[in-house]
């Protein structure tokens, strides 16, 4: 490992913004294309089914992630996957509402975007010194949030106000613009021969990865609903119950949430230099759950709605920054399986979003808003309490830290 590799590179914040491709593309999958379908008269159940399939297919990322450590560099994988997601979303924006291709292009685009996120995350985790983990963890989240916010703001307008394929092309182009940032990310000392060697040993190496105690412990931590805060996905539909008008709902769930999330990520990052990221993760989950429960006695009025939206977004952002830091810190410098490990752990972090969304829905069905808040906050606090003592033991033993740095001869190229 060269001394140059050990030295912290400049512009780490800029490297994190490469994840804007992921956020911008997912805005098309989760916001813009559903908006277009609804505006063209497609029934809500069909839209929901298409989006649900897209999210389910994206969970295959952890199965396909090992491929990102083989065949070609992670840089090449990132560019290829960004182009693939661009093409699928561009053609999806051009389709008529009745087309059956939506059921193929949306899931395909979502999977390509998730794999792009994994390729970039594995690349950054393997080349940046470990004292950069807090910084890249924060800016990786900022890149996602900023990209998603920009996409949600401009894509629908571009497609509906510009003629022909011009709007679709410009709306999709934002997926490719952050690729210029890839030139700022350093590449490890390796050769293509290492890639082929990794491929021959891939099955054995993945099995060893899954048996590594730090990886298993982080998987356990992430699949528990300590910091999901999935109410952020339901506030758009709850606004009317708080007597909030359309402008208040759109502003609170749109630009206000984006701004407060960016501020929260930047403010939370310095705390991770003083508090271990896993402990900060549980602290955010517990305090966020307490905040959610504290909303129960408040009246259902528009100001309370805005408070709830912004507070939940702050909690979710801080939890995601802590998660990113935990994942990056668990990846050894120069790891030949960095993308595999990143994809596995990030997929685990997504799991609670699926079942907590369902649990919040059950709570809402039984007791309305109070039921959803009680379920979300109560389950989060209980999960944090359940894992607190094991986590303290793991931290004292250093059992969540990365293994010793991999040999440069085995590191896969970026």
């Amino acid at each position: 490992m060269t001394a140059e590799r050990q030295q912290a590179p400049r512009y780490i914040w800029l490297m994190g913004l490469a994840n804007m491709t992921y956020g911008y593309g997912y805005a098309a999958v989760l916001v813009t294309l559903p908006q277009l379908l609804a505006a063209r008269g497609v029934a809500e159940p069909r839209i929901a089914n298409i989006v649900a399939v897209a999210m389910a297919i994206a969970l295959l990322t952890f199965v396909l992630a090992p491929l990102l450590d083989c065949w070609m560099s992670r840089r090449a994988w990132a560019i290829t996957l960004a182009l693939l997601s661009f093409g699928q979303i561009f053609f999806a924006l051009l389709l008529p509402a009745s087309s059956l291709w939506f059921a193929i292009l949306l899931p395909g685009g979502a999977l390509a975007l998730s794999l792009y996120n994994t390729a970039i995350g594995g690349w950054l985790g393997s080349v940046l010194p470990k004292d950069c983990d807090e910084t890249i963890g924060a800016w990786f989240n900022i890149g996602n949030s900023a990209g998603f916010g920009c996409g949600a703001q401009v894509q629908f307008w571009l497609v509906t106000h510009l003629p022909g394929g011009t709007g679709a092309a410009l709306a999709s182009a934002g997926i490719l613009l952050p690729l210029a940032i890839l030139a700022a990310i350093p590449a490890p000392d390796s050769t293509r021969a290492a890639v082929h060697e990794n491929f021959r040993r891939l099955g054995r190496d993945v099995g060893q990865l899954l048996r590594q105690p730090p990886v298993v412990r982080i998987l356990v931590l992430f699949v528990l609903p300590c910091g999901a805060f999935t109410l952020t996905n339901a506030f758009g539909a709850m606004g009317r119950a708080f007597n909030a008008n359309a402008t208040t709902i759109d502003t609170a769930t749109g630009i206000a949430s984006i701004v407060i999330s960016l501020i929260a990520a930047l403010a939370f990052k310095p705390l991770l230099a003083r508090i271990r990221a896993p402990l900060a993760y549980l602290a955010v989950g517990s305090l966020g759950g307490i905040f959610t429960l504290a909303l129960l006695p408040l009246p259902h009025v528009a100001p309370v709605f805005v408070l709830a939206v912004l507070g939940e977004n702050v909690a979710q952002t801080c939890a995601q920054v802590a998660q990113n830091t935990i994942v990056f810190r668990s990846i050894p410098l120069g790891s030949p399986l960095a993308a595999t490990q990143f994809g596995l752990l990030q997929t685990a972090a997504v799991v609670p979003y699926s079942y907590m969304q369902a649990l919040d829905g059950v709570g809402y069905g039984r007791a309305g808003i109070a039921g959803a808040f009680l379920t979300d906050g109560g389950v989060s606090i209980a999960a944090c309490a359940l894992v607190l003592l094991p986590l303290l033991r793991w931290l004292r033993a250093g059992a969540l830290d990365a293994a010793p740095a991999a040999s440069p001869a085995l590191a896969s190229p970026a």
Side-chain angles (χ1 to χ4, degrees):
M1 191 80 58
T2 65
E4 185 178 0
R5 283 279 308 280
Q6 297 280 3
Q7 184 179 0
R10 301 173 63 188
Y11 307 119
I12 294 175
W13 63 271
L14 181 62
M15 299 177 199
L17 294 183
N19 204 31
M20 288 182 68
T21 288
Y22 174 73
Y24 188 92
Y26 255 102
V29 173
L30 299 178
V31 178
T32 304
L33 282 161
Q35 275 184 303
L36 283 173
L37 290 172
R40 294 169 182 172
V42 177
E44 178 60 30
R46 181 175 178 237
I47 298 175
N49 287 338
I50 293 175
V51 173
V53 170
M55 297 305 294
I57 293 296
L59 292 177
L60 291 176
T61 299
F62 84 96
V63 177
L64 299 176
L67 297 178
L68 305 181
D69 291 318
C70 300
W71 287 340
M72 55 185 178
S73 70
R74 295 182 191 123
R75 185 194 305 272
W77 271 118
I79 294 171
T80 300
L81 290 164
L83 289 170
L84 185 60
S85 61
F86 164 80
Q88 292 181 94
I89 289 172
F90 169 71
F91 286 112
L93 291 172
L94 294 176
L95 291 175
S98 59
S99 176
L100 298 177
W101 281 96
F102 280 113
I104 296 176
L105 293 179
L106 251 69
L111 180 58
L113 289 166
S114 295
L115 288 170
Y116 169 88
N117 171 269
T118 298
I120 293 294
W123 179 2
L124 291 169
S126 67
V127 299
L128 295 180
K130 294 293 100 181
D131 57 2
C132 298
D133 289 332
E134 291 83 3
T135 301
I136 193 60
W139 283 98
F140 202 71
N141 180 270
I142 290 172
N144 176 21
S145 300
F148 190 92
C150 290
Q153 290 292 316
V154 306
Q155 289 168 355
F156 185 79
W157 188 92
L158 289 171
V159 174
T160 55
H161 286 75
L162 296 182
T166 304
L170 291 177
S172 306
I175 293 174
L176 302 180
L177 293 179
L179 294 182
I181 298 172
L182 300 186
I185 304 177
D189 303 323
S190 55
T191 64
R192 285 189 58 84
V195 178
H196 297 301
E197 178 64 17
N198 279 343
F199 180 70
R200 288 192 294 269
R201 295 166 39 185
L202 184 60
R204 188 190 72 184
D205 288 348
V206 171
Q208 290 178 345
L209 176 66
L210 293 174
R211 291 191 295 271
Q212 289 182 10
V215 173
V216 174
R217 291 177 183 123
I218 295 172
L219 283 173
V220 172
L221 180 63
F222 281 1
V223 297
L224 291 172
C226 299
F229 299 107
T230 49
L231 288 174
T232 56
N233 299 330
F235 278 129
M238 290 184 181
R240 296 298 182 185
F242 283 86
N243 298 308
N245 58 38
T247 301
T248 300
I249 296 171
D250 291 343
T251 302
T253 59
I255 188 65
S257 292
I258 296 168
V259 172
I260 197 68
S261 295
L262 295 179
I263 294 173
L266 291 175
F268 188 65
K269 173 190 165 292
L271 293 177
L272 294 177
R274 298 175 174 85
I275 304 174
R276 299 284 295 275
L279 200 57
Y281 178 59
L282 289 195
V284 169
S286 300
L287 294 174
I290 292 171
F291 169 81
T292 303
L293 297 181
L295 296 171
L296 289 172
L298 299 182
H300 293 173
V301 294
V304 174
F305 173 76
V306 174
L307 173 65
V309 172
L310 298 185
E312 294 290 327
N313 271 281
V314 167
Q316 187 180 67
T317 296
C318 292
Q320 289 174 346
V321 170
Q323 282 180 333
N324 287 339
T325 303
I326 293 168
V327 173
F328 283 123
R329 190 166 290 281
S330 73
I331 298 174
L333 187 63
S335 170
L337 290 174
T340 302
Q341 184 168 338
F342 188 91
L344 174 67
L345 296 178
Q346 286 289 64
T347 302
V350 173
V351 170
Y353 288 82
S354 58
Y355 67 77
M356 279 304 298
Q357 193 84 44
L359 288 177
D360 289 349
V362 172
Y364 189 88
R366 291 184 176 179
I369 292 173
F373 283 14
L374 182 62
T375 300
D376 197 88
V379 172
S380 294
I381 293 172
C384 291
L386 178 66
V387 78
L388 176 60
L389 290 180
L391 180 66
L392 291 175
R393 288 198 298 270
W394 297 340
L395 290 176
R396 282 195 297 267
L400 296 178
D401 296 335
S407 168
L410 294 179
S412 53

